[in-house]
Amino acid sequence: MPMDVAAILKSIEASGLATRIRESLFLFPLIESTHVIGLALVFGTIAIIDLRLLGMASTQRPFTRMASDILKWTWAAFALTALTGSLMFITNASVYYHNFFFRTKMALLVLTGMNLLVFERTAGRTIHGWDRDPSAPRSGKTVAALSLAIWISIIVMGRLIGFTTSRAVVAPPPAGVNFDDFLGTPSGGGTSATPPHD
Amino acid sequence: MICLRILGWAGLDQTLRQTTSRFGPWLTGGLWLMLATGILMVIGEPVRELVTFSFWLKMFLVAVSTLIAASFQINRRKHERRWEETLMQRRSIQGLAILTFLIWLGIIILGRLIAYDHIWGPWSPATKA
């Protein structure tokens, strides 16, 4: 990693805001909870739109009417997730920056933006021709199916970040302790412990 | 979406019956899915889930919100016309829609706080262990 990126990440982590969030008992859990609320709203509202494009729900409702009704909530929720996501990132920037699942999540977010752009350039151009049809043309349906798949993957990646960047540390068991003895299973089966995670 | 329709903040081109028949089955399906995955998580890590204040408060709120949703559906089916014409405009009903929305926000927050139960201090059984 170039030195300047490492230095930037360290300075982000050392900022007053990041330190305050990191050292507070309540701030990080509350920011994370708000992030989850935002994500639930983003996915829920996007799913409503995608299912309409696929012709699986709300087929009687004109697409443009529905989109103008719902997309404002999607954008507001997206802004909330971006803000809370950034606040979580700054608390542990160098760890998140190197995390595979974080990077995949960011790449998927870019991909979902590109998918939206494809919609605007294809089915979006002829919207008034199929607005009242029960489903979108093939290009619109493809974009909708991809959108659902990408957003589900984003949620999975987000959860996996929590399972792989936990700051919790579990001390190793004392030497000579065999967990199989406690479980009443024959010894020699190896030990297993649940990995720490948020 | 049902709460937003009652409040008049979305779906105004749809009747309340159309809105509930569109989103009701997804709501019920979602609840069953969460129940199934929730049970699997409790079986997987019973102590981590059950010995927390957040979990039990969340379960209480889930029970309250399910009760509100079931009562709403029964009453709406019984008095369909009244709901469309007058009941939706009542302040008490709109207040209940806001309360339901807030309860669900609380459920999401508490779900996340199970992992951070120590923030409840003496209320958390985990801190006594």
Side-chain angles (χ1 to χ4, degrees):
Chain A
M1 181 173 58
M3 191 57 206
D4 53 334
V5 177
I8 290 167
L9 293 171
K10 283 287 164 204
S11 70
I12 289 171
E13 275 180 29
S15 67
L17 183 62
T19 309
R20 195 165 169 201
I21 296 168
R22 206 169 37 241
E23 289 177 357
S24 164
L25 190 63
F26 305 98
L27 279 178
F28 193 89
L30 288 178
I31 291 168
E32 195 180 346
S33 302
T34 313
H35 190 69
V36 175
I37 289 169
L39 196 58
L41 288 172
V42 169
F43 181 68
T45 51
I46 282 179
I48 292 169
I49 299 283
D50 288 342
L51 291 173
R52 169 68 183 84
L53 288 170
L54 288 165
M56 290 167 74
S58 308
T59 49
Q60 310 286 317
R61 223 174 153 194
F63 177 77
T64 48
R65 168 80 207 186
M66 197 172 151
S68 70
D69 202 32
I70 286 172
L71 286 178
K72 55 179 183 275
W73 297 95
T74 312
W75 285 113
F78 186 78
L80 185 70
T81 53
L83 177 70
T84 50
S86 305
L87 289 175
M88 290 196 293
F89 176 80
I90 63 169
T91 61
N92 215 2
S94 22
V95 171
Y96 289 126
Y97 181 82
H98 289 102
N99 185 269
F100 168 78
F101 300 109
F102 176 80
R103 288 183 170 197
T104 310
K105 184 180 174 183
M106 291 303 113
L108 287 170
L109 278 170
V110 172
L111 203 62
T112 196
M114 285 162 65
N115 196 36
L116 188 63
L117 213 64
V118 169
F119 177 80
E120 293 294 338
R121 297 262 168 116
T122 55
R125 283 195 172 162
T126 56
I127 209 160
H128 293 291
W130 54 266
D131 193 26
R132 288 178 182 274
D133 292 353
S135 66
R138 189 176 287 178
S139 58
K141 281 183 186 170
T142 310
V143 164
L146 269 173
S147 162
L148 283 174
I150 296 170
W151 277 103
I152 289 169
S153 307
I154 288 172
I155 294 171
V156 172
M157 291 302 137
R159 216 50 294 271
L160 289 176
I161 294 169
F163 282 93
T164 50
T165 58
S166 174
R167 282 168 289 164
V169 174
V170 174
V177 171
N178 187 348
F179 283 104
D180 293 337
D181 294 341
F182 296 107
L183 299 169
T185 49
S187 60
T191 59
S192 74
T194 308
H197 56 79
D198 285 338
Chain B
M1 293 310 296
I2 295 169
C3 288
L4 291 178
R5 176 63 192 90
I6 291 172
L7 291 165
W9 295 351
L12 287 175
D13 58 325
Q14 303 282 291
T15 62
L16 185 61
R17 192 182 66 79
Q18 284 172 321
T19 310
T20 50
S21 59
R22 163 67 182 84
F23 296 107
W26 289 87
L27 190 73
T28 315
L31 273 172
W32 282 112
L33 182 70
M34 285 194 289
L35 183 70
T37 51
I39 288 171
L40 289 175
M41 284 164 77
V42 169
I43 291 171
E45 289 183 291
V47 176
R48 184 176 179 264
E49 305 285 342
L50 299 177
V51 191
T52 59
F53 176 76
S54 309
F55 175 83
W56 291 108
L57 187 56
K58 180 185 167 182
M59 287 305 108
F60 170 73
L61 290 182
V62 168
V64 170
S65 71
T66 308
L67 209 67
I68 292 174
S71 319
F72 161 73
Q73 277 289 44
I74 292 166
N75 199 281
R76 194 201 56 77
R77 279 188 194 138
K78 228 187 236 178
H79 310 285
E80 200 166 311
R81 221 169 135 186
R82 262 186 79 203
W83 269 93
E84 302 286 354
E85 288 168 2
T86 57
L87 286 177
M88 257 200 297
Q89 282 81 44
R90 273 200 196 163
R91 281 211 171 160
S92 56
I93 297 294
Q94 296 195 340
L96 204 61
I98 292 174
L99 181 72
T100 306
F101 190 73
L102 291 177
I103 287 174
W104 274 102
L105 292 187
I107 289 169
I108 296 174
I109 292 171
L110 287 165
R112 210 61 286 278
L113 291 187
I114 291 172
Y116 302 96
D117 208 59
H118 59 275
I119 72 161
W120 296 108
W123 288 357
S124 169
T127 58
K128 290 172 192 159

